[in-house]
Amino acid sequence: MRSNSTKKRILPALFALAAIAGLLWMTLKHRTVTLDSGSRITMGTFARIVVVAADPQQARDAMEAALEKIYDIERRMSDYDPNSLLSQVNRRAFEAPVAVDEELFEVLAASVEYSRLSGGAFDVTIGPVVQLWRKAKITGIAPTPEQLQRAKESVGYQNLILDTENHTVKFSKEGMFVDLGGIAKGYAVDKGIEILQKAGVKGGMVDIGGNLRCFGTPANNIPHWFIGLQDPASEENILAKLKLDDRAVATSGDYRRFVVIAGQKHSHIINPATAESAQTLSSVTIIAPTAIATDALSTAVTVMGDKKGMALIESIPGVEAILIPQGENPIFEKTPGADQYIQK
Ligand code: AMP
Ligand code: MG
């Protein structure tokens, strides 16, 4: 009798304890910390990393490793730094083949691919023309048509010879100059994401100057990573909210970086065919699995304009575009698949 009534009391208590332990375990299992690097200056712009992890120390270590990787890529691939490996290539590759490390070779090979894919709208050898416009930004005087013509003669990705076996780079034309400004930020974002994933964190986001990629569990327990699409006319105005999971997005725009000379706005993106700045689109947003793709393709589509640009993006599976042509009122031109990323 007595043992029966004890059982009656103990059993519910045990069930209650098990339920509490289960709940606690579930809470701990899903508990995450979100670490935000804030703005860091690199590659001539701002970088930001967000890490979602179970453990604060794991989050910190992963973030530091990803940032270090990005700084390291900048040191090797910047054409502003005369000591970078890329600057050595630019000085010596016409005289003889220059050996480069695996990662620089990988970026150069991808650059040639995107140059080919875009029919030369993206051209990684645009350097000599970009140099002239950079100088104009400082002096306020536009390059002369003769100067532009001369610089244009040294442009042509077909003259960039990559030896896959020996990992060397050779220029087949004098005066060539490789500029990775349209692709290296995306590459660095991908490498940052790779480091976070290898560190085993639950989720993360890497953004370098509007080239962004996210994966896994979003920050602050929300269902997706959300990214605002800025109005080209006003940075504070958000035109749409993009919801992303394991995706990269990049926006190239004439509102972000430009120079005004004699009242005329020149975008930092150059049409290799004319050596003048690309004119027709205010903002080009590309969504794709990798940031190297979104970086190169956003630059390419800015040059190609809406018709050719849209045709290119629609020909590549898994890649979507949202374009805003120049004009008073912002309107969207989208690929059909872009809608799945726009928060209704
Ligand atoms: P993004 O910020 O990705 O749109 O790239 C712009 C940068 O890419 C410029 O600052 C130049 O360094 C470089 N660039 C400009 N025009 C081109 C082009 N047609 N092809 C490849 N790179 C370019
Ligand atoms: Mg780009």
Side-chain angles (χ1 to χ4, degrees):
M1 273 301 278
R2 202 175 156 175
S3 87
N4 247 354
S5 79
T6 314
K7 248 190 213 162
K8 266 188 195 158
R9 268 183 282 134
I10 287 178
L11 270 180
L14 278 178
F15 277 127
L17 259 178
I20 291 169
L23 264 175
L24 204 67
W25 184 77
M26 288 291 281
T27 316
L28 285 176
K29 187 173 164 233
H30 291 288
R31 196 184 62 173
T32 57
V33 289
T34 298
L35 192 65
D36 189 331
S37 71
S39 288
R40 308 285 181 110
I41 292 176
T42 181
M43 301 185 136
T45 183
F46 296 105
R48 180 177 163 220
I49 298 184
V50 175
V51 181
V52 181
D55 171 61
Q57 190 59 44
Q58 186 197 27
R60 265 193 298 276
D61 291 348
M63 175 179 285
E64 284 315 315
L67 279 167
E68 192 38 57
K69 182 76 195 174
I70 291 166
Y71 297 145
D72 176 50
I73 291 173
E74 181 192 20
R75 277 192 290 273
R76 284 176 291 135
M77 301 191 192
S78 165
D79 66 88
Y80 285 90
D81 176 359
N83 298 317
S84 73
L85 183 54
L86 180 66
S87 291
Q88 293 175 40
V89 168
N90 278 333
R91 276 196 300 274
R92 302 186 353 233
F94 178 64
E95 288 153 28
V98 178
V100 297
D101 62 46
E102 209 170 300
E103 291 190 341
L104 180 52
F105 194 86
E106 192 185 354
V107 181
L108 289 170
S111 301
V112 170
E113 265 316 298
Y114 286 109
S115 300
R116 226 180 258 140
L117 193 66
S118 66
F122 179 93
D123 193 320
V124 72
T125 66
I126 194 72
V129 179
V130 169
Q131 295 290 312
L132 285 178
W133 285 109
R134 265 191 215 160
K135 213 180 283 165
K137 192 173 178 177
I138 297 164
T139 61
I141 303 164
T144 64
E146 293 74 32
Q147 284 175 314
L148 288 174
Q149 182 55 35
R150 218 172 313 128
K152 202 162 80 106
E153 277 161 19
S154 309
V155 176
Y157 66 91
Q158 300 87 343
N159 301 318
L160 185 64
I161 315 299
L162 300 178
D163 180 335
T164 319
E165 248 166 54
N166 300 310
H167 273 196
T168 60
V169 188
K170 171 92 177 77
F171 294 165
S172 65
K173 216 165 190 192
E174 202 161 9
M176 281 177 66
F177 192 97
V178 166
D179 175 348
L180 295 174
I183 195 167
K185 292 190 282 294
Y187 180 76
V189 167
D190 285 339
K191 288 287 157 180
I193 289 284
E194 201 179 292
I195 298 268
L196 298 184
Q197 287 175 331
K198 276 195 187 144
V201 299
K202 292 179 181 241
M205 193 264 316
V206 179
D207 173 8
I208 307 181
N211 296 276
L212 185 151
R213 182 171 160 188
C214 55
F215 76 96
T217 309
N220 310 318
N221 299 315
I222 50 174
H224 307 278
W225 293 90
F226 289 104
I227 282 99
L229 186 62
Q230 278 174 8
D231 182 347
S234 154
E235 290 213 359
E236 287 91 61
N237 197 16
I238 301 296
L239 293 178
K241 216 163 149 191
L242 302 181
K243 63 174 195 296
L244 304 173
D245 297 289
D246 299 297
R247 275 286 173 282
V249 60
T251 300
S252 279
D254 66 356
Y255 63 99
R256 279 175 180 269
R257 278 152 68 199
F258 57 85
V259 50
V260 178
I261 300 167
Q264 209 191 338
K265 199 163 146 184
H266 298 268
S267 139
H268 68 300
I269 298 175
I270 307 295
N271 183 346
T274 60
E276 298 281 347
S277 73
Q279 290 282 322
T280 58
L281 293 163
S282 261
S283 157
V284 172
T285 298
I286 306 289
I287 302 163
T290 66
I292 194 167
T294 55
D295 193 359
L297 291 171
S298 59
T299 307
V301 171
T302 304
V303 172
M304 296 171 92
D306 57 350
K307 290 207 172 54
K308 283 190 184 158
M310 278 295 189
L312 170 66
I313 297 303
E314 289 197 26
S315 75
I316 313 171
V319 180
E320 308 298 341
I322 305 170
L323 315 183
I324 306 179
Q326 284 179 348
E328 284 291 296
N329 298 314
I331 51 156
F332 286 172
E333 285 180 24
K334 303 172 283 181
T335 51
D339 278 327
Q340 66 187 297
Y341 298 112
I342 299 176
Q343 172 77 348
K344 297 285 178 309

